[in-house]
Amino acid sequence: GDSVTQTEGPVTVSESESLIINCTYSATSIAYPNLFWYVRYPGEGLQLLLKVITAGQKGSSRGFEATYNKETTSFHLQKASVQESDSAVYYCALGGTNAYKVIFGKGTHLHVLP
Amino acid sequence: EAAVTQSPRNKVAVTGGKVTLSCNQTNNHNNMYWYRQDTGHGLRLIHYSYGAGSTEKGDIPDGYKASRPSQENFSLILELATPSQTSVYFCASGDAGLAEQFFGPGTRLTVL
C-alpha cells in the first residue's frame, strides 16, 4: 500500500548544528507521487514547508531543502544550520495530483537548544 | 488572515455526550477533510467531502459523522463521545490539481 516512514522523534540538536530528518515512502497506487514536508509550530495548524512534484528535483524553503529521489524512494529534509525558532513537528507526506488523500508520516518533533 | 478556522479550539466533553467540531474555510476549495492526530500516529483521515452536501468515509470513520452544509463549512460530529476519541482534530481544505492541503489550527478534545 501507500505509506510514509520518517525519523522517529524527538530529535534534539543545538542551534547552528546541521539537521537531517529521514523520510521514505511507498507509492503503490499513486502513479505520479507528489512529496511534501509540512511543519506544525506550537499552537498552530500544519503548514506546507516545501513540496516537490517531479522526481530528481529539489525543493527549498526557509533554509530547508529536500530532494525527491525515486530510486531510493526517499525525501529527506535537511538544513545546514538550525535555529531555535525551527523547533516544531515536521511531517513528511505523500500525495498525487488530483488525489483526494494525502498520506502523512507520524511526525518528527524537533527541539533546537539555544 | 486565516483561511481555515476551527471552533472550539479546546473542548472537554463527558462520555456519552454529543460533540460537534466546526470548520470554516475561505479558500473556496471544493474538498475538505477531518483528521485526528495522536502520539505515535500520523494524521489519520476520518471523513472528507468533495463539496456541499457530500461526505465520504476516510480511514477511521467509526464513531464519527460529518456534515457539509455549504462550500465553506464542514462539521465533525461525535454522537456518543468516548474517552478513546480524546485527540487533536485538524480540519483541512484542498482542491483537485493541488494535492497539498491547507490546515486549521486544530481542536484539542478531551473526553472524560
Side-chain angles (χ1 to χ4, degrees):
Chain A
D2 303 319
S3 65
V4 173
T5 303
Q6 62 181 99
T7 300
E8 288 203 22
V11 172
T12 302
V13 296
S14 296
E15 205 166 30
S16 79
E17 288 186 344
S18 63
L19 170 73
I20 181 165
I21 299 175
N22 291 328
C23 173
T24 57
Y25 68 90
S26 171
T28 56
S29 69
I30 301 173
Y32 301 99
N34 295 178
L35 294 170
F36 309 88
W37 278 101
Y38 283 82
V39 58
R40 178 160 69 99
Y41 298 104
E44 299 181 16
L46 282 77
Q47 55 185 273
L48 184 67
L49 178 61
L50 57 87
K51 73 173 181 180
V52 180
I53 64 173
T54 304
Q57 298 294 310
K58 179 168 71 176
S60 60
S61 174
R62 308 180 208 176
F64 290 90
E65 56 184 38
T67 299
Y68 180 167
N69 189 318
K70 189 175 180 181
E71 286 68 38
T72 60
T73 63
S74 65
F75 190 56
H76 306 318
L77 183 68
Q78 301 182 76
K79 189 173 187 182
S81 176
V82 296
Q83 302 173 318
E84 193 176 355
S85 57
D86 294 326
S87 296
V89 183
Y90 293 81
Y91 298 88
C92 185
L94 164 70
T97 305
N98 296 322
Y100 75 87
K101 192 167 155 178
V102 176
I103 296 150
F104 290 87
K106 293 181 180 181
T108 301
H109 204 150
L110 172 66
H111 296 282
V112 180
L113 302 175
Chain B
E1 187 175 335
V4 181
T5 56
Q6 295 181 230
S7 63
R9 293 292 311 276
N10 291 281
K11 172 76 177 177
V12 178
V14 297
T15 298
K18 181 177 181 179
V19 177
T20 300
L21 307 183
S22 300
C23 178
N24 176 276
Q25 58 108 353
T26 57
N27 295 320
N28 200 33
H29 289 155
N30 288 324
N31 301 342
M32 295 187 74
Y33 310 84
W34 276 107
Y35 294 90
R36 63 179 284 176
Q37 162 82 79
D38 302 288
T39 303
H41 293 276
L43 274 73
R44 293 184 289 174
L45 183 63
I46 306 170
H47 285 288
Y48 61 101
S49 167
Y50 289 124
S54 99
T55 61
E56 306 289 337
K57 293 181 179 179
D59 298 321
I60 53 164
D62 293 346
Y64 303 94
K65 293 170 65 173
S67 173
R68 182 88 182 270
S70 65
Q71 177 84 339
E72 297 79 21
N73 295 294
F74 190 37
S75 297
L76 186 69
I77 302 151
L78 291 66
E79 295 276 6
L80 294 169
T82 68
S84 65
Q85 294 175 312
T86 293
S87 187
V88 180
Y89 292 85
F90 289 100
C91 175
S93 72
D95 243 343
L98 285 180
E100 67 195 84
Q101 297 178 5
F102 299 81
F103 285 81
T107 294
R108 183 173 295 277
L109 173 65
T110 302
V111 183
L112 302 175

